[in-house]
PDB file of all heavy atoms in Angstrom:
ATOM      1  N   MET I  99      12.976 -74.215  33.141  1.00 98.00           N
ATOM      2  CA  MET I  99      11.934 -73.774  34.065  1.00 98.00           C
ATOM      3  C   MET I  99      12.492 -72.646  34.919  1.00 98.00           C
ATOM      4  O   MET I  99      13.595 -72.754  35.464  1.00 98.00           O
ATOM      5  CB  MET I  99      11.475 -74.917  34.961  1.00 98.00           C
ATOM      6  CG  MET I  99      10.381 -74.493  35.953  1.00 98.00           C
ATOM      7  SD  MET I  99       9.733 -75.866  36.938  1.00 98.00           S
ATOM      8  CE  MET I  99       8.737 -76.693  35.682  1.00 98.00           C
ATOM      9  N   VAL I 100      11.749 -71.551  35.007  1.00 98.00           N
ATOM     10  CA  VAL I 100      12.177 -70.392  35.787  1.00 98.00           C
ATOM     11  C   VAL I 100      11.156 -70.141  36.893  1.00 98.00           C
ATOM     12  O   VAL I 100       9.943 -70.127  36.654  1.00 98.00           O
ATOM     13  CB  VAL I 100      12.333 -69.134  34.910  1.00 98.00           C
ATOM     14  CG1 VAL I 100      12.795 -67.954  35.754  1.00 98.00           C
ATOM     15  CG2 VAL I 100      13.327 -69.395  33.777  1.00 98.00           C
ATOM     16  N   ILE I 101      11.669 -69.958  38.106  1.00 98.00           N
ATOM     17  CA  ILE I 101      10.850 -69.717  39.293  1.00 98.00           C
ATOM     18  C   ILE I 101      11.094 -68.296  39.777  1.00 98.00           C
ATOM     19  O   ILE I 101      12.237 -67.884  39.944  1.00 98.00           O
ATOM     20  CB  ILE I 101      11.221 -70.691  40.430  1.00 98.00           C
ATOM     21  CG1 ILE I 101      11.119 -72.137  39.972  1.00 98.00           C
ATOM     22  CG2 ILE I 101      10.351 -70.445  41.660  1.00 98.00           C
ATOM     23  CD1 ILE I 101       9.733 -72.585  39.662  1.00 98.00           C
ATOM     24  N   SER I 102      10.025 -67.548  40.003  1.00 98.00           N
ATOM     25  CA  SER I 102      10.124 -66.238  40.640  1.00 98.00           C
ATOM     26  C   SER I 102       9.600 -66.351  42.058  1.00 98.00           C
ATOM     27  O   SER I 102       8.446 -66.725  42.268  1.00 98.00           O
ATOM     28  CB  SER I 102       9.304 -65.202  39.862  1.00 98.00           C
ATOM     29  OG  SER I 102       9.121 -64.027  40.638  1.00 98.00           O
ATOM     30  N   ALA I 103      10.452 -66.043  43.045  1.00 98.00           N
ATOM     31  CA  ALA I 103      10.049 -66.090  44.453  1.00 98.00           C
ATOM     32  C   ALA I 103      10.034 -64.676  45.009  1.00 98.00           C
ATOM     33  O   ALA I 103      11.016 -63.936  44.862  1.00 98.00           O
ATOM     34  CB  ALA I 103      11.008 -66.966  45.255  1.00 98.00           C
ATOM     35  N   MET I 104       8.919 -64.316  45.616  1.00 98.00           N
ATOM     36  CA  MET I 104       8.786 -62.938  46.114  1.00 98.00           C
ATOM     37  C   MET I 104       7.981 -62.923  47.399  1.00 98.00           C
ATOM     38  O   MET I 104       7.203 -63.840  47.686  1.00 98.00           O
ATOM     39  CB  MET I 104       8.117 -62.059  45.059  1.00 98.00           C
ATOM     40  CG  MET I 104       6.645 -62.403  44.810  1.00 98.00           C
ATOM     41  SD  MET I 104       6.001 -61.752  43.259  1.00 98.00           S
ATOM     42  CE  MET I 104       6.327 -63.157  42.182  1.00 98.00           C
ATOM     43  N   GLY I 105       8.203 -61.879  48.186  1.00 96.00           N
ATOM     44  CA  GLY I 105       7.319 -61.633  49.308  1.00 96.00           C
ATOM     45  C   GLY I 105       6.085 -60.900  48.831  1.00 96.00           C
ATOM     46  O   GLY I 105       6.018 -60.419  47.694  1.00 96.00           O
ATOM     47  N   ASP I 106       5.096 -60.754  49.709  1.00 96.00           N
ATOM     48  CA  ASP I 106       3.898 -60.038  49.288  1.00 96.00           C
ATOM     49  C   ASP I 106       4.156 -58.544  49.159  1.00 96.00           C
ATOM     50  O   ASP I 106       3.451 -57.851  48.411  1.00 96.00           O
ATOM     51  CB  ASP I 106       2.703 -60.330  50.202  1.00 96.00           C
ATOM     52  CG  ASP I 106       3.028 -60.320  51.683  1.00 96.00           C
ATOM     53  OD1 ASP I 106       4.162 -59.962  52.042  1.00 96.00           O
ATOM     54  OD2 ASP I 106       2.145 -60.682  52.483  1.00 96.00           O
ATOM     55  N   GLY I 107       5.179 -58.033  49.851  1.00 95.00           N
ATOM     56  CA  GLY I 107       5.562 -56.644  49.623  1.00 95.00           C
ATOM     57  C   GLY I 107       6.016 -56.431  48.190  1.00 95.00           C
ATOM     58  O   GLY I 107       5.593 -55.487  47.516  1.00 95.00           O
ATOM     59  N   SER I 108       6.852 -57.324  47.705  1.00 96.00           N
ATOM     60  CA  SER I 108       7.333 -57.224  46.328  1.00 96.00           C
ATOM     61  C   SER I 108       6.214 -57.430  45.319  1.00 96.00           C
ATOM     62  O   SER I 108       6.175 -56.775  44.276  1.00 96.00           O
ATOM     63  CB  SER I 108       8.442 -58.258  46.087  1.00 96.00           C
ATOM     64  OG  SER I 108       9.627 -57.871  46.730  1.00 96.00           O
ATOM     65  N   PHE I 109       5.287 -58.335  45.625  1.00 97.00           N
ATOM     66  CA  PHE I 109       4.155 -58.567  44.723  1.00 97.00           C
ATOM     67  C   PHE I 109       3.397 -57.264  44.469  1.00 97.00           C
ATOM     68  O   PHE I 109       3.000 -56.966  43.332  1.00 97.00           O
ATOM     69  CB  PHE I 109       3.217 -59.617  45.319  1.00 97.00           C
ATOM     70  CG  PHE I 109       2.020 -59.930  44.460  1.00 97.00           C
ATOM     71  CD1 PHE I 109       2.085 -60.927  43.491  1.00 97.00           C
ATOM     72  CD2 PHE I 109       0.815 -59.243  44.626  1.00 97.00           C
ATOM     73  CE1 PHE I 109       0.983 -61.220  42.693  1.00 97.00           C
ATOM     74  CE2 PHE I 109      -0.287 -59.536  43.840  1.00 97.00           C
ATOM     75  CZ  PHE I 109      -0.211 -60.516  42.869  1.00 97.00           C
ATOM     76  N   GLY I 110       3.231 -56.471  45.513  1.00 96.00           N
ATOM     77  CA  GLY I 110       2.524 -55.203  45.361  1.00 96.00           C
ATOM     78  C   GLY I 110       3.239 -54.217  44.462  1.00 96.00           C
ATOM     79  O   GLY I 110       2.602 -53.357  43.844  1.00 96.00           O
ATOM     80  N   PHE I 111       4.554 -54.321  44.374  1.00 96.00           N
ATOM     81  CA  PHE I 111       5.323 -53.437  43.502  1.00 96.00           C
ATOM     82  C   PHE I 111       5.118 -53.775  42.022  1.00 96.00           C
ATOM     83  O   PHE I 111       5.255 -52.913  41.176  1.00 96.00           O
ATOM     84  CB  PHE I 111       6.819 -53.588  43.797  1.00 96.00           C
ATOM     85  CG  PHE I 111       7.343 -52.744  44.918  1.00 96.00           C
ATOM     86  CD1 PHE I 111       7.007 -53.011  46.226  1.00 96.00           C
ATOM     87  CD2 PHE I 111       8.209 -51.695  44.668  1.00 96.00           C
ATOM     88  CE1 PHE I 111       7.501 -52.254  47.266  1.00 96.00           C
ATOM     89  CE2 PHE I 111       8.721 -50.925  45.703  1.00 96.00           C
ATOM     90  CZ  PHE I 111       8.368 -51.201  47.002  1.00 96.00           C
ATOM     91  N   THR I 112       4.853 -55.031  41.713  1.00 97.00           N
ATOM     92  CA  THR I 112       5.106 -55.514  40.355  1.00 97.00           C
ATOM     93  C   THR I 112       3.971 -56.295  39.714  1.00 97.00           C
ATOM     94  O   THR I 112       4.105 -56.750  38.581  1.00 97.00           O
ATOM     95  CB  THR I 112       6.382 -56.397  40.382  1.00 97.00           C
ATOM     96  OG1 THR I 112       6.823 -56.669  39.074  1.00 97.00           O
ATOM     97  CG2 THR I 112       6.128 -57.707  41.100  1.00 97.00           C
ATOM     98  N   CYS I 113       2.831 -56.432  40.384  1.00 97.00           N
ATOM     99  CA  CYS I 113       1.816 -57.369  39.891  1.00 97.00           C
ATOM    100  C   CYS I 113       1.206 -56.959  38.555  1.00 97.00           C
ATOM    101  O   CYS I 113       0.597 -57.792  37.875  1.00 97.00           O
ATOM    102  CB  CYS I 113       0.729 -57.594  40.934  1.00 97.00           C
ATOM    103  SG  CYS I 113      -0.194 -56.111  41.388  1.00 97.00           S
ATOM    104  N   GLY I 114       1.380 -55.713  38.140  1.00 98.00           N
ATOM    105  CA  GLY I 114       0.884 -55.316  36.826  1.00 98.00           C
ATOM    106  C   GLY I 114       1.495 -56.099  35.691  1.00 98.00           C
ATOM    107  O   GLY I 114       0.888 -56.243  34.618  1.00 98.00           O
ATOM    108  N   GLU I 115       2.702 -56.634  35.918  1.00 98.00           N
ATOM    109  CA  GLU I 115       3.348 -57.407  34.861  1.00 98.00           C
ATOM    110  C   GLU I 115       2.746 -58.793  34.682  1.00 98.00           C
ATOM    111  O   GLU I 115       3.111 -59.506  33.742  1.00 98.00           O
ATOM    112  CB  GLU I 115       4.856 -57.518  35.119  1.00 98.00           C
ATOM    113  CG  GLU I 115       5.598 -56.194  35.082  1.00 98.00           C
ATOM    114  CD  GLU I 115       5.408 -55.386  33.801  1.00 98.00           C
ATOM    115  OE1 GLU I 115       5.116 -55.989  32.741  1.00 98.00           O
ATOM    116  OE2 GLU I 115       5.553 -54.153  33.866  1.00 98.00           O
ATOM    117  N   LEU I 116       1.809 -59.177  35.540  1.00 98.00           N
ATOM    118  CA  LEU I 116       1.084 -60.420  35.289  1.00 98.00           C
ATOM    119  C   LEU I 116       0.377 -60.366  33.938  1.00 98.00           C
ATOM    120  O   LEU I 116       0.261 -61.379  33.246  1.00 98.00           O
ATOM    121  CB  LEU I 116       0.080 -60.679  36.412  1.00 98.00           C
ATOM    122  CG  LEU I 116       0.665 -61.085  37.771  1.00 98.00           C
ATOM    123  CD1 LEU I 116      -0.410 -61.041  38.849  1.00 98.00           C
ATOM    124  CD2 LEU I 116       1.310 -62.461  37.706  1.00 98.00           C
ATOM    125  N   GLU I 117      -0.082 -59.179  33.560  1.00 98.00           N
ATOM    126  CA  GLU I 117      -0.708 -59.040  32.239  1.00 98.00           C
ATOM    127  C   GLU I 117       0.297 -59.307  31.132  1.00 98.00           C
ATOM    128  O   GLU I 117      -0.024 -59.987  30.133  1.00 98.00           O
ATOM    129  CB  GLU I 117      -1.316 -57.640  32.099  1.00 98.00           C
ATOM    130  CG  GLU I 117      -2.149 -57.448  30.841  1.00 98.00           C
ATOM    131  CD  GLU I 117      -1.323 -57.137  29.595  1.00 98.00           C
ATOM    132  OE1 GLU I 117      -0.267 -56.470  29.730  1.00 98.00           O
ATOM    133  OE2 GLU I 117      -1.714 -57.568  28.493  1.00 98.00           O
ATOM    134  N   THR I 118       1.514 -58.802  31.283  1.00 98.00           N
ATOM    135  CA  THR I 118       2.561 -59.050  30.281  1.00 98.00           C
ATOM    136  C   THR I 118       2.853 -60.539  30.182  1.00 98.00           C
ATOM    137  O   THR I 118       2.991 -61.091  29.078  1.00 98.00           O
ATOM    138  CB  THR I 118       3.843 -58.291  30.658  1.00 98.00           C
ATOM    139  OG1 THR I 118       3.538 -56.920  30.917  1.00 98.00           O
ATOM    140  CG2 THR I 118       4.877 -58.384  29.547  1.00 98.00           C
ATOM    141  N   ILE I 119       2.946 -61.189  31.325  1.00 98.00           N
ATOM    142  CA  ILE I 119       3.241 -62.625  31.353  1.00 98.00           C
ATOM    143  C   ILE I 119       2.164 -63.410  30.620  1.00 98.00           C
ATOM    144  O   ILE I 119       2.454 -64.314  29.828  1.00 98.00           O
ATOM    145  CB  ILE I 119       3.381 -63.092  32.821  1.00 98.00           C
ATOM    146  CG1 ILE I 119       4.635 -62.468  33.458  1.00 98.00           C
ATOM    147  CG2 ILE I 119       3.433 -64.612  32.919  1.00 98.00           C
ATOM    148  CD1 ILE I 119       4.689 -62.594  34.964  1.00 98.00           C
ATOM    149  N   VAL I 120       0.891 -63.060  30.852  1.00 98.00           N
ATOM    150  CA  VAL I 120      -0.212 -63.765  30.208  1.00 98.00           C
ATOM    151  C   VAL I 120      -0.265 -63.442  28.719  1.00 98.00           C
ATOM    152  O   VAL I 120      -0.445 -64.334  27.877  1.00 98.00           O
ATOM    153  CB  VAL I 120      -1.543 -63.405  30.892  1.00 98.00           C
ATOM    154  CG1 VAL I 120      -2.727 -63.955  30.105  1.00 98.00           C
ATOM    155  CG2 VAL I 120      -1.563 -63.946  32.315  1.00 98.00           C
ATOM    156  N   ARG I 121      -0.113 -62.168  28.367  1.00 98.00           N
ATOM    157  CA  ARG I 121      -0.167 -61.766  26.956  1.00 98.00           C
ATOM    158  C   ARG I 121       0.892 -62.478  26.130  1.00 98.00           C
ATOM    159  O   ARG I 121       0.654 -62.886  24.989  1.00 98.00           O
ATOM    160  CB  ARG I 121      -0.011 -60.242  26.850  1.00 98.00           C
ATOM    161  CG  ARG I 121       0.168 -59.715  25.450  1.00 98.00           C
ATOM    162  CD  ARG I 121       0.037 -58.199  25.365  1.00 98.00           C
ATOM    163  NE  ARG I 121       0.446 -57.487  26.539  1.00 98.00           N
ATOM    164  CZ  ARG I 121       1.679 -57.001  26.756  1.00 98.00           C
ATOM    165  NH1 ARG I 121       2.635 -57.176  25.858  1.00 98.00           N
ATOM    166  NH2 ARG I 121       1.945 -56.336  27.866  1.00 98.00           N
ATOM    167  N   ARG I 122       2.077 -62.640  26.723  1.00 98.00           N
ATOM    168  CA  ARG I 122       3.172 -63.293  26.012  1.00 98.00           C
ATOM    169  C   ARG I 122       3.177 -64.810  26.228  1.00 98.00           C
ATOM    170  O   ARG I 122       4.010 -65.506  25.655  1.00 98.00           O
ATOM    171  CB  ARG I 122       4.514 -62.704  26.472  1.00 98.00           C
ATOM    172  CG  ARG I 122       4.681 -61.213  26.204  1.00 98.00           C
ATOM    173  CD  ARG I 122       4.756 -60.876  24.737  1.00 98.00           C
ATOM    174  NE  ARG I 122       5.845 -61.581  24.085  1.00 98.00           N
ATOM    175  CZ  ARG I 122       6.530 -61.125  23.036  1.00 98.00           C
ATOM    176  NH1 ARG I 122       6.243 -59.954  22.514  1.00 98.00           N
ATOM    177  NH2 ARG I 122       7.488 -61.847  22.500  1.00 98.00           N
ATOM    178  N   ASN I 123       2.285 -65.306  27.071  1.00 97.00           N
ATOM    179  CA  ASN I 123       2.191 -66.733  27.389  1.00 97.00           C
ATOM    180  C   ASN I 123       3.544 -67.309  27.793  1.00 97.00           C
ATOM    181  O   ASN I 123       3.979 -68.363  27.328  1.00 97.00           O
ATOM    182  CB  ASN I 123       1.618 -67.528  26.208  1.00 97.00           C
ATOM    183  CG  ASN I 123       1.192 -68.929  26.624  1.00 97.00           C
ATOM    184  OD1 ASN I 123       0.813 -69.153  27.765  1.00 97.00           O
ATOM    185  ND2 ASN I 123       1.273 -69.877  25.710  1.00 97.00           N
ATOM    186  N   VAL I 124       4.209 -66.604  28.689  1.00 98.00           N
ATOM    187  CA  VAL I 124       5.490 -67.064  29.228  1.00 98.00           C
ATOM    188  C   VAL I 124       5.196 -67.952  30.431  1.00 98.00           C
ATOM    189  O   VAL I 124       4.536 -67.515  31.386  1.00 98.00           O
ATOM    190  CB  VAL I 124       6.377 -65.868  29.618  1.00 98.00           C
ATOM    191  CG1 VAL I 124       7.597 -66.316  30.398  1.00 98.00           C
ATOM    192  CG2 VAL I 124       6.801 -65.107  28.365  1.00 98.00           C
ATOM    193  N   PRO I 125       5.673 -69.204  30.446  1.00 98.00           N
ATOM    194  CA  PRO I 125       5.271 -70.167  31.484  1.00 98.00           C
ATOM    195  C   PRO I 125       6.004 -69.999  32.810  1.00 98.00           C
ATOM    196  O   PRO I 125       6.476 -70.969  33.419  1.00 98.00           O
ATOM    197  CB  PRO I 125       5.599 -71.514  30.827  1.00 98.00           C
ATOM    198  CG  PRO I 125       6.774 -71.225  29.957  1.00 98.00           C
ATOM    199  CD  PRO I 125       6.534 -69.825  29.422  1.00 98.00           C
ATOM    200  N   LEU I 126       6.088 -68.775  33.280  1.00 98.00           N
ATOM    201  CA  LEU I 126       6.793 -68.477  34.521  1.00 98.00           C
ATOM    202  C   LEU I 126       6.034 -69.048  35.717  1.00 98.00           C
ATOM    203  O   LEU I 126       4.809 -68.992  35.780  1.00 98.00           O
ATOM    204  CB  LEU I 126       6.933 -66.958  34.660  1.00 98.00           C
ATOM    205  CG  LEU I 126       7.731 -66.428  35.840  1.00 98.00           C
ATOM    206  CD1 LEU I 126       9.184 -66.853  35.744  1.00 98.00           C
ATOM    207  CD2 LEU I 126       7.623 -64.898  35.886  1.00 98.00           C
ATOM    208  N   LYS I 127       6.774 -69.607  36.660  1.00 98.00           N
ATOM    209  CA  LYS I 127       6.188 -70.115  37.903  1.00 98.00           C
ATOM    210  C   LYS I 127       6.529 -69.140  39.031  1.00 98.00           C
ATOM    211  O   LYS I 127       7.708 -68.823  39.245  1.00 98.00           O
ATOM    212  CB  LYS I 127       6.716 -71.509  38.242  1.00 98.00           C
ATOM    213  CG  LYS I 127       6.713 -72.490  37.068  1.00 98.00           C
ATOM    214  CD  LYS I 127       5.371 -72.642  36.384  1.00 98.00           C
ATOM    215  CE  LYS I 127       5.464 -73.590  35.199  1.00 98.00           C
ATOM    216  NZ  LYS I 127       4.238 -73.561  34.365  1.00 98.00           N
ATOM    217  N   MET I 128       5.494 -68.671  39.727  1.00 98.00           N
ATOM    218  CA  MET I 128       5.679 -67.629  40.734  1.00 98.00           C
ATOM    219  C   MET I 128       5.244 -68.119  42.109  1.00 98.00           C
ATOM    220  O   MET I 128       4.218 -68.786  42.242  1.00 98.00           O
ATOM    221  CB  MET I 128       4.874 -66.382  40.344  1.00 98.00           C
ATOM    222  CG  MET I 128       5.399 -65.707  39.085  1.00 98.00           C
ATOM    223  SD  MET I 128       4.180 -64.595  38.312  1.00 98.00           S
ATOM    224  CE  MET I 128       3.166 -65.778  37.408  1.00 98.00           C
ATOM    225  N   ILE I 129       6.032 -67.790  43.119  1.00 98.00           N
ATOM    226  CA  ILE I 129       5.733 -68.154  44.502  1.00 98.00           C
ATOM    227  C   ILE I 129       5.689 -66.873  45.324  1.00 98.00           C
ATOM    228  O   ILE I 129       6.647 -66.076  45.305  1.00 98.00           O
ATOM    229  CB  ILE I 129       6.803 -69.102  45.076  1.00 98.00           C
ATOM    230  CG1 ILE I 129       6.805 -70.421  44.308  1.00 98.00           C
ATOM    231  CG2 ILE I 129       6.571 -69.332  46.567  1.00 98.00           C
ATOM    232  CD1 ILE I 129       7.966 -71.320  44.666  1.00 98.00           C
ATOM    233  N   VAL I 130       4.584 -66.666  46.028  1.00 98.00           N
ATOM    234  CA  VAL I 130       4.463 -65.519  46.919  1.00 98.00           C
ATOM    235  C   VAL I 130       4.504 -66.016  48.358  1.00 98.00           C
ATOM    236  O   VAL I 130       3.680 -66.849  48.766  1.00 98.00           O
ATOM    237  CB  VAL I 130       3.164 -64.733  46.673  1.00 98.00           C
ATOM    238  CG1 VAL I 130       3.082 -63.544  47.633  1.00 98.00           C
ATOM    239  CG2 VAL I 130       3.084 -64.249  45.229  1.00 98.00           C
ATOM    240  N   PHE I 131       5.485 -65.521  49.121  1.00 97.00           N
ATOM    241  CA  PHE I 131       5.528 -65.773  50.564  1.00 97.00           C
ATOM    242  C   PHE I 131       4.629 -64.709  51.211  1.00 97.00           C
ATOM    243  O   PHE I 131       5.030 -63.551  51.350  1.00 97.00           O
ATOM    244  CB  PHE I 131       6.955 -65.676  51.098  1.00 97.00           C
ATOM    245  CG  PHE I 131       7.848 -66.808  50.662  1.00 97.00           C
ATOM    246  CD1 PHE I 131       8.494 -66.771  49.434  1.00 97.00           C
ATOM    247  CD2 PHE I 131       8.045 -67.910  51.478  1.00 97.00           C
ATOM    248  CE1 PHE I 131       9.323 -67.808  49.027  1.00 97.00           C
ATOM    249  CE2 PHE I 131       8.872 -68.953  51.087  1.00 97.00           C
ATOM    250  CZ  PHE I 131       9.507 -68.907  49.853  1.00 97.00           C
ATOM    251  N   SER I 132       3.427 -65.114  51.557  1.00 97.00           N
ATOM    252  CA  SER I 132       2.421 -64.166  52.029  1.00 97.00           C
ATOM    253  C   SER I 132       2.441 -64.102  53.551  1.00 97.00           C
ATOM    254  O   SER I 132       2.061 -65.059  54.229  1.00 97.00           O
ATOM    255  CB  SER I 132       1.037 -64.609  51.531  1.00 97.00           C
ATOM    256  OG  SER I 132       0.047 -63.727  51.981  1.00 97.00           O
ATOM    257  N   ASN I 133       2.916 -62.973  54.081  1.00 96.00           N
ATOM    258  CA  ASN I 133       2.951 -62.819  55.536  1.00 96.00           C
ATOM    259  C   ASN I 133       2.585 -61.410  56.000  1.00 96.00           C
ATOM    260  O   ASN I 133       2.762 -61.076  57.165  1.00 96.00           O
ATOM    261  CB  ASN I 133       4.325 -63.237  56.091  1.00 96.00           C
ATOM    262  CG  ASN I 133       5.475 -62.630  55.306  1.00 96.00           C
ATOM    263  OD1 ASN I 133       5.353 -61.523  54.777  1.00 96.00           O
ATOM    264  ND2 ASN I 133       6.588 -63.344  55.228  1.00 96.00           N
ATOM    265  N   SER I 134       2.123 -60.581  55.077  1.00 95.00           N
ATOM    266  CA  SER I 134       1.522 -59.273  55.415  1.00 95.00           C
ATOM    267  C   SER I 134       2.471 -58.332  56.152  1.00 95.00           C
ATOM    268  O   SER I 134       2.060 -57.645  57.091  1.00 95.00           O
ATOM    269  CB  SER I 134       0.248 -59.471  56.247  1.00 95.00           C
ATOM    270  OG  SER I 134      -0.654 -60.319  55.590  1.00 95.00           O
ATOM    271  N   VAL I 135       3.717 -58.316  55.723  1.00 95.00           N
ATOM    272  CA  VAL I 135       4.682 -57.480  56.430  1.00 95.00           C
ATOM    273  C   VAL I 135       5.887 -57.202  55.540  1.00 95.00           C
ATOM    274  O   VAL I 135       6.250 -58.014  54.689  1.00 95.00           O
ATOM    275  CB  VAL I 135       5.142 -58.183  57.739  1.00 95.00           C
ATOM    276  CG1 VAL I 135       5.896 -59.481  57.437  1.00 95.00           C
ATOM    277  CG2 VAL I 135       6.016 -57.267  58.597  1.00 95.00           C
ATOM    278  N   TYR I 136       6.472 -56.024  55.713  1.00 93.00           N
ATOM    279  CA  TYR I 136       7.810 -55.778  55.173  1.00 93.00           C
ATOM    280  C   TYR I 136       8.787 -56.397  56.173  1.00 93.00           C
ATOM    281  O   TYR I 136       9.263 -55.765  57.108  1.00 93.00           O
ATOM    282  CB  TYR I 136       8.066 -54.281  54.993  1.00 93.00           C
ATOM    283  CG  TYR I 136       7.310 -53.690  53.820  1.00 93.00           C
ATOM    284  CD1 TYR I 136       6.366 -52.693  54.000  1.00 93.00           C
ATOM    285  CD2 TYR I 136       7.553 -54.137  52.523  1.00 93.00           C
ATOM    286  CE1 TYR I 136       5.664 -52.148  52.924  1.00 93.00           C
ATOM    287  CE2 TYR I 136       6.871 -53.602  51.431  1.00 93.00           C
ATOM    288  CZ  TYR I 136       5.929 -52.615  51.643  1.00 93.00           C
ATOM    289  OH  TYR I 136       5.254 -52.094  50.562  1.00 93.00           O
TER     290      TYR I 136
END
């Protein structure tokens, strides 16, 4: 099991890869610490 932990700043950099994750059906678990700030 692999966990990706990111802030919401990082999510904005990389969220396009959610399509890659779904297309490849990789069971990655992602946690976003959402606090609206760098």
Side-chain angles (χ1 to χ4, degrees):
M99 180 176 286
V100 181
I101 305 293
S102 166
M104 68 198 92
D106 44 7
S108 287
F109 180 89
F111 275 71
T112 192
C113 62
E115 296 305 335
L116 289 169
E117 188 278 327
T118 309
I119 293 166
V120 171
R121 171 168 30 92
R122 299 293 302 210
N123 194 29
V124 170
L126 184 64
K127 313 306 178 191
M128 293 161 279
I129 296 171
V130 180
F131 290 84
S132 179
N133 47 32
S134 305
V135 64
Y136 287 118

